[in-house]
Amino acid sequence: MLEFILLASCVSAGTLEDVRELFEAGRYGEARSKVEAYLRSHPDDPEGLYWMGELEGNARASLRCYERILRLYPVHPLCAKARLKLAQYLYVKGEYSTVLRKLKENFDSPSLCLAGRALIALGKHERARETFLKALSAAGSSEDSLRALLGLSDACLLGGLYEEALRYADMAMGVEGSEDWSAFLSERASLCREKLEGSEIEGYVVQVGAFQNRAQAERRCRELREAGYHVLVKEKLVGGKPWYAVWVGPYTTEEEARRASRAFPEVWILKVP
């Protein structure tokens, strides 16, 4: 009789194999019931605690689950995810320095992106840029890549690196799944262009083309940026109509500009401003 009761208890508790499927299907109540049943017989199981943290409706109760994992299993693979969950909560509370301390042992792309966001919030734009570059290298999915590129664009824009900010925004537009961000990325690219065109340029530039259609000029710019050139679009009025010149540079001397111009057919070397 006792063996039957124990067996029935194990069967009712079940395993966690189908919790992820229920969670991804949005059947949170069923998923939570399974986890609660599992934890009654496995109260300190790290996977059970993690899923309880995911499914708990109370933020503080969720945090206790993640903290328990870190306390009981400091080297368990789930610790990185638990630290990230705690850091996300701290970020929302505005505790940015604590976020960085919490994530110092995490090297996955989502954690690095959150650390980059915390550094931006602290005004440390160069360190944020370096952190987002690491996140991009560690990206395991298109979502990770998009998140890292958006962070790079933000860090560069705030740090006054407008051309780099534009380049990363352009790169983000080419990532699979970026369609949902298309309006934001277009606005970001426009802002970067405005900053570039409004910034003071001194020296010599190589004009490699001029277009009546801005989209064509931007397409040419993207091609040149991908080839490693510093480039921008400059709007000019010719006969009362807007033309969009594509400039490579600037260069300190005319001789440097002439050397650079050899890579292009039909160019003009201009002194600016």
Side-chain angles (χ1 to χ4, degrees):
M1 182 66 178
L2 179 60
E3 289 180 0
F4 175 79
I5 293 172
L6 289 173
L7 179 60
S9 174
C10 290
V11 170
S12 65
T15 67
L16 297 172
E17 291 177 4
D18 53 353
V19 170
R20 179 182 295 278
E21 184 177 335
L22 291 168
F23 183 84
E24 291 177 351
R27 296 161 63 183
Y28 305 123
E30 293 177 60
R32 176 169 176 157
S33 295
K34 284 187 174 291
V35 174
E36 287 175 336
Y38 182 80
L39 285 174
R40 280 195 287 272
S41 55
H42 306 80
D44 291 329
D45 181 79
E47 189 176 358
L49 289 170
Y50 181 80
W51 277 115
M52 196 69 241
E54 288 286 274
L55 293 160
E56 179 60 68
N58 181 282
R60 291 192 178 279
S62 291
L63 295 177
R64 285 195 292 271
C65 291
Y66 302 133
E67 288 167 346
R68 192 170 176 183
I69 293 170
L70 294 172
R71 185 175 67 255
L72 296 176
Y73 308 98
V75 295
H76 193 278
L78 281 172
C79 283
K81 288 187 175 182
R83 282 192 294 268
L84 177 57
K85 292 293 183 181
L86 289 168
Q88 287 170 339
Y89 176 78
L90 294 165
Y91 182 87
V92 172
K93 289 184 66 180
E95 298 181 22
Y96 305 121
S97 296
T98 310
V99 168
L100 297 176
R101 289 195 294 273
K102 186 66 68 177
L103 293 176
K104 65 182 180 181
E105 297 177 47
N106 281 28
F107 304 102
D108 58 287
S109 186
S111 295
L112 289 166
C113 281
L114 184 59
R117 289 292 170 190
L119 287 164
I120 285 178
L122 292 168
K124 299 178 180 180
H125 304 136
E126 179 56 28
R127 279 187 60 195
R129 189 179 71 86
E130 294 170 359
T131 302
F132 283 120
L133 282 171
K134 292 177 183 177
L136 185 60
S137 296
S141 66
S142 57
E143 183 181 355
D144 287 347
S145 297
L146 182 58
R147 188 186 294 115
L149 287 167
L150 288 169
L152 278 164
S153 183
D154 285 344
C156 291
L157 183 62
L158 291 167
L161 302 173
Y162 305 130
E163 188 169 342
E164 286 191 49
L166 180 56
R167 179 161 61 87
Y168 290 125
D170 284 342
M171 289 172 64
M173 289 182 192
V175 174
E176 181 182 353
S178 64
E179 296 81 10
D180 293 340
W181 290 86
S182 58
F184 172 82
L185 288 169
S186 294
E187 290 179 8
R188 166 54 51 81
S190 296
L191 177 59
C192 292
R193 291 188 201 103
E194 289 173 12
K195 293 286 187 181
L196 275 170
E197 292 170 12
S199 59
E200 190 67 30
I201 300 172
E202 295 183 359
Y204 296 84
V205 296
V206 180
Q207 182 171 310
V208 297
F211 304 84
Q212 287 183 294
N213 183 295
R214 173 127 204 178
Q216 289 179 305
E218 291 299 339
R219 191 178 305 116
R220 180 62 173 142
C221 272
R222 281 195 293 273
E223 293 170 355
L224 291 169
R225 285 193 193 98
E226 289 171 2
Y229 289 99
H230 293 277
V231 60
L232 72 151
V233 174
K234 194 70 173 177
E235 184 176 345
K236 298 179 176 183
L237 286 176
V238 180
K241 295 181 180 180
W243 281 74
Y244 302 95
V246 178
W247 287 358
V248 173
Y251 299 95
T252 305
T253 66
E254 185 176 1
E255 179 55 33
E256 287 177 317
R258 289 195 181 283
R259 284 200 298 269
S261 72
R262 293 170 191 155
F264 307 96
E266 298 185 19
V267 300
W268 291 265
I269 295 172
L270 307 174
K271 175 78 168 65
V272 290

